[in-house]
DNA sequence: GGGATGTTTCGGCCGCGGCCGAAGTGTTCC
DNA sequence: GGAACACTTCGGCCGCGGCCGAAACATCCC
């Protein structure tokens, strides 16, 4: 089982069904979700979702973990997330996105998870500040950590060495702000470290993140964010 | 006309048809191809291909240019190429690729185009050498040009400034060698410069590149390739 | 045990979309 | 002009695959 699809068309056509695309998008939040939650996200019945999940797992796009009577699904690899990012990029290039600025929406714009790293104005402000202080060089789409950056990240408590073959530093075009934020292994490490420090916290049933008071202080002080980063660009 | 599809599923499902995936893959060679050539690549009739091409153009994945009684199609943007790269990555992760090492295949492995830059052992050797000489920092998946690199590229005759919003330096996982080579604006610039210098030449009806004798000399001398870069890794 | 709840399997309906043959439009060449 | 060529449009066939209702497992709780 899980015998990986092996042609481009097979993979693309799996993503090409609206229900399955919704499932994968939901999982871009980075958390593992149950089949039921995914059914809700996909907007189809539980039976139908079950079929989709089986196909996606079979093809190696999703990984599944049994836990009691629940089955938790997550994206199988960061490569899959990369495909989704690239697709979002292209999809976003279309006609004007509608911008229904609800209150819940506003929280998403401020700070949210994107697969396994931080996005929204927070993510962008962090990326900008790292560049401004010469800790990171981003030539949009890609990037590298400077010597000074290595020292900085080390002091901040993230380990740049471990993590294997995954790209250390990538950028990801922000859905709401249309500017790049930090992805890749480094983006993921910054996120988990921020969670550990209690600077941000997940808001239940949502991809939004809450920035805690110590977080507000910490981000501003450690990363040197400009005072106006909370404002929309 | 060309009213850009705007959901992930729409884009993915366009790529998800085998014939269309073949068309897009063929265009990853970087050259614009006629409808007839694409029909041959897709393995379906001209009428069927025409329909596919219309859909792809309509969605903004392809750009088309009329020239006499031919219509030349090409990928509409580098974002599309990125999606295809990401998909190839995932598709390649499947069960062992068959490696039918024919003679034509061998030429492809040595040097070929990948959308608009060089791939194969040549592409990899260049990327490796640039890193070894401290002109480039690649933390795989992304990269940045060092100060020394900027001087080097300037002397080599490629302009890093112009080119707009496209990523300067990206890496692309090599299909045959499974190692990263140089993509992005820099990869494209190196390729066109190499063509101009007559170091490489396109082999007709193929994505393969021929490395000319001056090219052999030039690459070795200018980039400082190791003596054994012609051998498979 | 029995009754919720979460998930999958089965069976059948139905529509979308890929495919090709034939015919139509536009272009080039002699 | 007419013939060859490149490409598109039209019409109809056909099958794959998404969808749900019903029912079967599986697990947890009391």
């Amino acid at each position: 089982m899980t015998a990986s699809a092996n042609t481009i068309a097979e993979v693309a056509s799996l993503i090409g069904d609206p229900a399955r695309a919704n499932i994968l998008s939901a999982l871009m939040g980075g958390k593992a979700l149950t089949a039921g939650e995914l059914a809700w996200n996909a907007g189809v019945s539980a039976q139908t979702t079950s079929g989709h999940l089986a196909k996606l797992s079979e093809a190696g796009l999703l990984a599944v973990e049994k836990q009691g009577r629940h089955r938790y699904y997550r994206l199988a690899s960061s490569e899959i997330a990369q495909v989704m990012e690239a697709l979002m990029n292209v999809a976003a290039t279309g006609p004007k996105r509608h911008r229904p600025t609800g209150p819940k929406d506003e929280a998403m714009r401020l700070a949210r998870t994107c697969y396994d790293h931080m996005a929204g104005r927070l993510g962008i402000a962090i990326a900008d500040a790292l560049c401004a202080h010469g800790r990171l060089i981003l030539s949009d789409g890609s990037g590298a950590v400077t010597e000074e950056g290595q020292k900085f990240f080390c002091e901040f408590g993230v380990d740049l060495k471990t993590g294997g073959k995954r790209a250390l530093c990538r950028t990801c075009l922000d859905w709401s702000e249309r500017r790049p934020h930090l992805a890749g292994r480094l983006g993921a490490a910054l996120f988990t470290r921020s969670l550990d420090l209690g600077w941000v916290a997940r808001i239940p049933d949502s991809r939004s993140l809450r920035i805690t008071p110590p977080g507000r202080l910490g981000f501003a002080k450690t990363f040197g964010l400009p005072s106006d980063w909370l404002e929309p660009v």
Side-chain angles (χ1 to χ4, degrees), chain A:
Chain A
M1 25 228 92
T2 69
S4 301
N6 49 10
T7 74
I8 294 179
E10 279 163 10
V11 177
S13 106
L14 280 170
I15 307 177
D17 174 83
R20 285 192 295 256
N22 284 335
I23 289 173
L24 292 166
S25 296
L27 290 172
M28 282 293 284
K31 267 199 325 189
L33 299 176
T34 66
E37 289 168 322
L38 290 171
W40 190 88
N41 273 285
V44 292
S45 71
Q47 317 88 289
T48 303
T49 303
S50 177
H52 287 312
L53 292 174
K55 283 184 191 176
L56 290 169
S57 307
E58 170 79 11
L61 300 197
L62 294 186
V64 58
E65 207 167 331
K66 264 184 88 162
Q67 208 167 103
R69 58 181 162 179
H70 295 282
R71 296 215 175 167
Y72 282 91
Y73 288 88
R74 57 181 174 77
L75 297 188
S77 71
S78 63
E79 278 90 350
I80 315 292
Q82 242 172 285
V83 172
M84 293 300 292
E85 279 175 19
L87 281 169
M88 287 178 192
N89 250 355
V90 172
T93 318
K96 291 264 183 305
R97 303 298 287 162
H98 54 300
R99 286 213 177 192
T101 318
K104 192 173 162 189
D105 203 63
E106 174 52 26
M108 289 274 284
R109 288 181 196 285
L110 178 60
R112 65 175 179 278
T113 57
C114 173
Y115 185 48
D116 59 3
H117 52 269
M118 294 178 282
R121 289 202 297 279
L122 175 61
I124 291 173
I126 290 177
D128 284 351
L130 286 171
C131 285
H133 291 78
R135 289 159 183 159
L136 201 64
I137 305 173
L138 290 184
S139 43
D140 63 345
S142 60
V145 179
T146 63
E147 297 234 347
E148 186 174 336
Q150 295 190 10
K151 219 173 54 187
F152 171 77
F153 290 121
C154 181
E155 278 171 19
F156 183 54
V158 307
D159 179 14
L160 302 180
K161 305 289 182 305
T162 58
K165 59 178 174 41
R166 185 176 165 203
L168 175 62
C169 175
R170 291 187 55 255
T171 67
C172 174
L173 192 64
D174 207 276
W175 148 76
S176 52
E177 304 295 324
R178 291 297 191 80
R179 303 196 31 228
H181 59 253
L182 204 54
R185 224 166 69 219
L186 179 58
L190 280 180
F191 177 40
T192 48
R193 181 65 180 147
S194 301
L195 275 178
D196 286 348
L197 288 172
W199 287 9
V200 293
R202 292 180 188 276
I203 296 180
D205 304 321
S206 150
R207 290 174 52 185
S208 300
L209 291 172
R210 192 167 53 84
I211 306 175
T212 64
R216 236 165 250 276
L217 208 66
F219 282 126
K221 208 165 153 188
T222 311
F223 288 85
L225 302 192
S227 55
D228 63 346
W229 74 272
L230 283 166
E231 304 306 320
V233 198

